[in-house]
Amino acid sequence: MKKNYLILVFFFILSISYAQDSSTVKPEQIDQDPKFSKSEEIKGFSIYPNPVSNGILRITTFENAKKTIQIFDVLGKQVLSRTVVSQHLNITTLHSGIYIIKVFEKGKVATRKLVVK
């Protein structure tokens, strides 16, 4: 049974790494929400440190405008949703593991893998 979970997690991580290439994924496929249906990648988007060990994640973009942040676990369940104005996000409530972070800013969206230690 544990082997099945490990195989599923491995394929999930593998599929995420291929999903990072925005040239093969159309923006409309990223999020079906109508207000973001014609979105593009956020310019200058970066998150660090990744992996996170101190509970504080820094999210920067060229515009540094108000951002809506959603974090999902490997099963697709939303575990955190916040709107932030600053560049810092407190994620001390998250357990160690692998997550997907989705950041929305001014009609654009960016999705990345996030590792919490």
Side-chain angles (χ1 to χ4, degrees), residues 32-69:
Q32 298 301 320
D33 189 336
K35 70 180 181 181
F36 295 108
S37 64
K38 296 187 181 191
S39 61
E40 301 172 356
E41 181 77 12
I42 298 172
K43 302 252 188 242
F45 175 76
S46 68
I47 57 172
Y48 56 91
N50 194 7
V52 180
S53 58
N54 64 356
I56 302 295
L57 181 66
R58 186 164 183 199
I59 303 167
T60 60
T61 63
F62 284 154
E63 295 188 29
N64 281 325
K66 181 170 83 169
K67 298 172 226 11
T68 300
I69 300 163

Side-chain angles (χ1 to χ4, degrees), residues 8-93:
L8 286 173
V9 169
F10 173 77
F11 283 115
F12 180 78
I13 293 169
L14 186 63
S15 68
I16 291 170
S17 65
Y18 284 110
Q20 296 291 330
D21 185 4
S22 62
S23 63
T24 60
V25 179
K26 294 179 182 177
E28 293 82 10
Q29 295 171 329
I30 294 174
D31 196 357
Q32 298 301 320
D33 189 336
K35 70 180 181 181
F36 295 108
S37 64
K38 296 187 181 191
S39 61
E40 301 172 356
E41 181 77 12
I42 298 172
K43 302 252 188 242
F45 175 76
S46 68
I47 57 172
Y48 56 91
N50 194 7
V52 180
S53 58
N54 64 356
I56 302 295
L57 181 66
R58 186 164 183 199
I59 303 167
T60 60
T61 63
F62 284 154
E63 295 188 29
N64 281 325
K66 181 170 83 169
K67 298 172 226 11
T68 300
I69 300 163
Q70 297 174 340
I71 299 179
F72 301 89
D73 64 11
V74 293
L75 300 175
K77 180 182 173 192
Q78 185 172 322
V79 294
L80 185 73
S81 180
R82 298 274 189 278
T83 300
V84 296
V85 180
S86 69
Q87 295 180 350
H88 297 89
L89 177 66
N90 184 345
I91 58 169
T92 54
T93 59

